[in-house]
Amino acid sequence: MSDVLQRAKETVLHFYQCIDDACDEQIDWVINEYCCDSYHWRGCHPFNELAAHDVSKTFWQPLKTAFRHLQRRQDVFIAGLNQVEDNDKQTGDEKTVWVVSMGHLMGLFDNDWLGIPRTGRMAFLRYCEFTEVDVTQLGGGKILQSAMFVDIPGVMVQAGVNPFPPQTGAQLIQPGPMTHQGLALETQSPSESEKTLALINKMISDLGNWDNRLSLEDELAQTWHDDMIWWGPTGIGASYTIERYIKQHSGVFRASFSERIFNGHICKFAEGQFGGFFGWPNLSLKPIGGFMGMAASEQFYDMRVVDIYRRDGEKLAENWVFIDLLYFFSQQGIDILSRQKTLSPAKQTN
């Protein structure tokens, strides 16, 4: 199985290198070369779901035009078998192979993007992409589908057009793992991968029980180190230690919704000390009002989320979280991108 995972990593790394090196007119060729005809691409709002022939002109070409000299800076790169039990593609041993890349796409923000005004300065687009690879083919597999989560509000903030009310956590360009060991380019220990996945599953089980008799502090302490770091999305921010995580996000989040429905995940796996998942959507939530300035509602709103974790010993130490907040608010009739029209942009310096 380790050979299969390594082949999947090689396929994705080659694909990334070609995408990163390609000019506008070459991106279509790269996608046709590496992806299957039925390639399914998921992305944050306003991109949402795209067919293969639309990915280049809708996402990559405008992005590379806006961010000149675009550079991929990976912090986490892992592969594994999808462990989502109810995936109808998985029966018995026929589990699908996925690769995750997380980090930043950095470039010179020289042209407007999605209406966000250019700054002429370097800018960082935080991203996490899940990629499924068909490794049954000889000589390298084809990419079957991808889920590309990017922190668009993070670019807005760098351009001086913060669309959200004051957030509870810290806003910053987020670093990679403290251990600098997130790039699993070599084969990882299967037993370590199993430990990580088991711990993530235990944490998910605890998290899903909002009626737990334990205090939130005691609940989190079962699976998290006290000095854990929660790297949240722009609009919520990052928190350090269990105590501050509760005050600055988890406690606030739980108190902001009267009901929630867990919709499951599309993909979940671990390799070595890292693992994670994404859903489409993960959750449906009914707000009581107050969260990020939201009004109360009797409706459920869907939330698409990515979580990437680092395990340290017997507990989790770091968690990078991506939430498609533009989609979450669009369901309520709120266009976050349009808010920049009423805000003062950062001074352009090029």
Side-chain angles (χ1 to χ4, degrees):
M1 183 50 63
S2 61
D3 290 342
V4 170
L5 300 185
Q6 292 304 110
R7 290 207 312 272
K9 292 178 192 176
E10 290 173 5
T11 297
V12 174
L13 285 175
H14 290 159
F15 174 63
Y16 283 169
Q17 189 63 60
C18 289
I19 284 286
D20 295 347
D21 292 343
C23 299
D24 284 357
E25 62 274 12
Q26 298 172 324
I27 299 175
D28 276 327
W29 178 88
V30 174
I31 291 174
N32 290 335
E33 182 72 12
Y34 281 89
C35 302
C36 69
D37 293 340
S38 59
Y39 177 56
H40 182 196
W41 189 93
R42 297 178 177 91
C44 289
H45 186 80
F47 304 108
N48 299 303
E49 301 186 54
L50 299 174
H53 62 273
D54 291 322
V55 176
S56 175
K57 68 179 180 181
T58 303
F59 181 76
W60 282 112
Q61 289 187 36
L63 179 66
K64 297 188 77 169
T65 298
F67 292 80
R68 294 179 57 246
H69 303 294
L70 192 68
Q71 181 181 103
R72 185 185 302 270
R73 304 175 64 88
Q74 291 189 114
D75 294 314
V76 172
F77 186 76
I78 58 175
L81 297 178
N82 189 1
Q83 300 299 317
V84 176
E85 295 178 356
D86 60 355
N87 189 322
D88 58 10
K89 296 173 66 175
Q90 301 182 65
T91 57
D93 296 328
E94 298 177 0
K95 293 184 180 296
T96 55
V97 179
W98 289 73
V99 177
V100 167
S101 172
M102 187 197 79
H104 294 84
L105 298 172
M106 184 201 77
L108 295 173
F109 192 11
D110 284 351
N111 294 288
D112 295 357
W113 182 59
L114 299 175
I116 304 171
R118 68 187 182 93
T119 65
R121 308 183 188 123
M122 62 192 300
F124 289 77
L125 176 62
R126 185 170 171 249
Y127 82 92
C128 185
E129 184 170 33
F130 281 70
T131 302
E132 183 189 358
V133 182
D134 179 1
V135 292
T136 62
Q137 304 177 49
L138 295 176
K142 287 279 190 176
I143 293 172
L144 302 175
Q145 59 176 316
S146 302
M148 181 67 157
F149 282 68
V150 293
D151 191 353
I152 296 171
V155 177
M156 297 176 72
V157 170
Q158 292 172 67
V161 287
N162 189 346
F164 297 119
Q167 63 184 32
T168 51
Q171 175 63 36
L172 69 166
I173 301 298
Q174 297 184 5
M178 187 176 70
T179 58
H180 300 282
Q181 296 177 337
L183 301 181
L185 301 179
E186 305 297 330
T187 301
Q188 302 297 299
S189 165
S191 62
E192 291 297 301
S193 304
E194 291 171 5
K195 286 181 183 178
T196 302
L197 185 61
L199 186 57
I200 291 172
N201 285 334
K202 172 69 166 61
M203 181 276 305
I204 293 172
S205 178
D206 291 345
L207 188 65
N209 183 10
W210 284 14
D211 299 322
N212 197 324
R213 293 183 180 181
L214 294 175
S215 68
L216 186 50
E217 292 88 343
D218 290 339
E219 174 194 314
L220 291 169
Q222 293 184 99
T223 51
W224 293 94
H225 286 288
D226 182 64
D227 61 350
M228 57 89 77
I229 306 176
W230 191 83
W231 301 105
T234 299
I236 299 174
S239 298
Y240 175 43
T241 74
I242 286 178
E243 176 202 3
R244 297 300 169 86
Y245 171 59
I246 292 171
K247 290 180 179 179
Q248 296 173 357
H249 176 64
S250 184
V252 176
F253 186 84
R254 291 195 184 196
S256 298
F257 299 96
S258 60
E259 297 181 59
R260 54 86 174 91
I261 299 171
F262 175 59
N263 300 307
H265 301 126
I266 299 293
C267 177
K268 179 179 63 177
F269 71 89
E271 185 180 26
Q273 295 181 339
F274 293 84
F277 54 75
F278 84 93
W280 197 263
N282 309 52
L283 299 168
S284 297
L285 302 159
K286 182 185 292 186
I288 64 171
F291 180 68
M292 299 183 67
M294 287 173 54
S297 175
E298 288 301 313
Q299 297 185 44
F300 282 96
Y301 300 113
D302 293 337
M303 184 173 280
R304 304 165 175 168
V305 183
V306 160
D307 277 87
I308 302 295
Y309 301 91
R310 177 176 72 85
R311 176 180 60 83
D312 180 10
E314 301 303 315
K315 292 187 178 182
L316 298 171
E318 295 185 86
N319 181 199
W320 294 263
V321 179
F322 295 74
I323 302 176
D324 189 354
L325 291 172
L326 270 60
Y327 175 70
F328 186 59
F329 282 100
S330 72
Q331 298 167 76
Q332 303 160 59
I334 301 171
D335 184 354
I336 296 297
L337 284 169
S338 70
R339 289 186 170 185
Q340 62 202 332
K341 298 176 183 178
T342 62
L343 300 169
S344 298
K347 184 178 180 181
Q348 299 168 2
T349 58
N350 65 330

